[in-house]
Amino acid sequence: MKYLPLVLRNLGRNPTRTLLTVAAVALAIALIALLRTLPDGMQRMLNEFASNTRIGVFSEAGMSYPLPYAHLRKVAALEGVEAVASWTWVGGTHDPDRGVRFPSFAIEAEGLAGVWPDWAIRPEARADFARHRNGAIVGVATMTREGWQVGDLVTLVSTALPLSLELQIVGTIDQPGMPLLFVRREYLDQALQAQGSSLDWAGTLWIRARDPLVVPALQREIEALFRHSEASAVAQTEKGYLGRVFGFLEDFLTLILVVTALVAVCVVFIASNTASLAIRERGGELAVLRAIGFPRRTLLGLLVAETTLLAAVAGVLGVGVALGLTGVLRASSFATRFPPLGAFTVDGEIVLASLGLALGLGVVTGLAPAVQAIRRAPAQMLRELD
Amino acid sequence: MPLPLRYSTAHLRSSPGRSVATAAVVALVVLATALFTGLVSGLERTLVATGSERNLVVLRKGASNDGGSLVTLEDYRRLRLLPGIARDAAGDPLVSPELVVEPSFARPDGRRENVLVRGVQPVALAVHDEVRLSRGRMLRPSAGEAVVGRGALERYGLGGIGSTVRFGRGAWRIVGVFESGGTAFESEVWVDARELANDTRRPQPYSGLRIRVAPDADPALLARRIADDPQAVLQAEPETDYYEDQAEVADALRVIVVGLALLAGTAAAFGAANTLYASVHARRREIGTLRALGFPRAAIRRAVLTESLVLCLAGFAVGASASVGVSALLDRWLTGVAFEVAFATQSVALEVGVRDLALSLGIVVAIALLGGFFPARRAARLIPAEALRRAA
C-alpha cells in the first residue's frame, strides 16, 4: 500500500496515454457488456416467465396447427393435473389500418385463474373476467402502447377469423413487458356460432401440474395419450415452450457471441500495447531501482499494480457507460421492436463479469512485459541507456 | 517539400510488435462490423429484394402477413373478375390463391423450426415470375406432390427429387426444386393448396391472394378497388412493400451495427492514437532534425497521418479478408442465419459483400484520421531547437 503514490505517479506521467487507454478499454468493456445483454435478455425471459409446474401442449405438426378441443378434457382428467386452459389465436386488432400490434388469444376464465395464479392480475379483475362474457384482460405493455384504461370498450377485429368482438377491458396483467390480450373463449365461440360454425379447436393447451416432480411423467403421459389420435401432440415445460417459440434467435445469438469475443480480443490488444509501451520506455528507471536494491518482486508488483489499476478504472467506467446506454435504449422505442432480446438489462452478473474481465486483463497484460523487463540484469539495462 | 511515403512505413517497421497490435485492433473492429453489416445486408437482400412491384398481396384487412389472414372462396372468385389483372396465354386471370401455414420441420441436428409452406395452384409459377424451377417440374394438383426451395432443401436435409417430405399430418413427394435468386421464396416449400387446407383442417382454403397487375394497368388503382370492395374486408399492397414491412427486424439490427461500429471504432482510434503518440515521442530528435533541415510543419503532419493511415489500412486488409472467410465459415456452419419472419423461419445467407467492406473502410479511415490527428499535431508543433536539445 505504501507504494500506491508511486503507482499513481507513474500513471500520471503520461496523462494523454493513460486517458486514451482508459477510454479505449472502457468503451470496449461497455460494448461487451451491451452485447452480453442480448443473449441474457433471452435467458431472463425464460427464467422470469417460465414456471416449473406449467406444461404447454401443441400439435406435433407445428404451433400454427390447431388441436381438437376435446384434447383438453382428456388432459384435465390425468392424475397430477391441477388446472387446464387453452389458448386460441384471435389475431385481433382494434385498428385494421395499422395491423396486428399485439398477440391476442381466447382463453377460459377459470383456466386463466387456475393455470396462472402467479401472474400479477388483481383478484377483482379475475372476478370481472369470469363474470363478464365480453371481458378482456390485457398486458401492461399493450395497455400503455395503445393508451387504454381499464373499463374502455374496444372493438377487436380478428384477422384469423371472419368476425369482430366488442370487448370491455376488465383488468390488466402487470408483468413488465407483457403484451398479451385475452378474451373469453365462450365469447369467441358464440360469435362463431352466430355465423353457423363453432370453435372445436384450440391452439395450445396449458396445464398446471400439482408439483414439479410429476411434470416429466405428465409430459410423457400426454404425448402417449394422443400419439394415435387424429392430432398427435408435443408436451413441453413452459421453459421449453418459450425456448421453442424463440428458438429461431439461436443463430443470431451465436453471431453476437462471436462478435463479443472479437471485441474482447480487441481490448486485450489495446491494453497490452499500452502496458508494453509504458514498461518498455521505463527500462532505465527500472534498472536504477534494481541497482539500489529494490527486489524483483516489488518491482513486478508495482508494474502489475499499475496496469491493473488502469484496467480496473476502465472497467468501472465501461460498466457505467453500459448502464447509461442501456438506460437510454430501454427508454427508447427500440427495445419493443426487438423482443425478447431487447431487455437491455445490465444485471449483477454482467457487471461482475465485465469487472472480472477488466481486472484479469490488467494483470495479464501487465505481467508479460513486466516479467520481461525485470528479468534482465540491471547492469545490462543501464548500459543500453543513451 | 513532402516527406516520402517510405519515411512513414519505415517507422512502423521499427517497432513491429506495437504496429501489429494496433493493426490487429483495427482488423478486429473491421471483422466485427463487417460480420454484422453482412448479416443486415443479407436480410435486406433476402426480404427487400423479394417480390414484384407488379404483384399485389391481398390479405384480410389488418393482417400483417399470410400467417394471420383468411380469404374466402367467394372473395377469390369475385376478385378474379376485377379489371386490370394480367392474363395468361389461355386468357385466365393471373390470380394465385394461396394458403400459408408454418408447420415445424426438423433440422439435421434435431432442432425444430417453423417453415413457410405455401399451398398453391399451378398458376402460382406464372404470378411469381422470379421463382424458377431449376430441377424437376411443377407440382400437379391433388397428386401429393411438392416443390421445394433450394434453401429449404439444404437447411432441412430434404434429399432431392423423388424423396418424401413429411410435415403436418401428411407426406408429399418432391417433384421439383426452385430458385428465386436468393430471395425469401427459397426458404419455402410449396404443395397443393387444397391438400394443405385438408391437412390443417382449415375451414377456409386460402390465407391470401397474389395478383399480377396487367402491364397497362395501375397497381395502386387496383389495390384501392380491392380495399373499397364493400363485400369483402380485404386489403391489397404491392408485394415489394409487403416484404419490406417484414424486414422491420433489419432496421433494429442496423441500429445495433451503427452503435457497435461507433463504440468499437472510437476505442480503436484511441488505441491507434496511443501508438502514434509513442512513435512521435520516440523520434522527437529526428523530427527536430527534419524541421531544422527545412521541412515544413505540414510535411511532418502529413507524414504522421500517413503512418496512421498505412497502419489502419493494413489492419483493414487483414480484417476484410478475415471477415470474408469467417462469414463463409459461419454461414456454412449455421447453414444461413435463421430469422423468424411472420412466424416462419427465413434463412439469410451471411455474406460480406463489397458494400459492407466499403462501410468498414470508411470507418477505418475515420479511425486513422481521428487517431492520427492529435499525434500529428503534436509532432508538427515540436520546436526544432527544443526537440534536439531535450532528446539529447
Side-chain angles (χ1 to χ4, degrees), chain A residues 143-161:
Chain A
M143 289 295 281
T144 321
R145 195 169 162 200
E146 306 300 332
W148 288 340
Q149 304 289 328
V150 172
D152 281 1
L153 296 169
V154 175
T155 303
L156 198 69
V157 183
S158 171
T159 57
L161 302 161

Side-chain angles (χ1 to χ4, degrees), chain B residues 49-73:
Chain B
T50 303
S52 155
E53 281 175 0
R54 305 295 300 171
N55 280 357
L56 291 179
V57 174
V58 179
L59 299 174
R60 184 152 217 90
K61 198 165 274 176
S64 46
N65 55 63
D66 279 283
S69 170
L70 143 113
V71 170
T72 63
L73 204 57

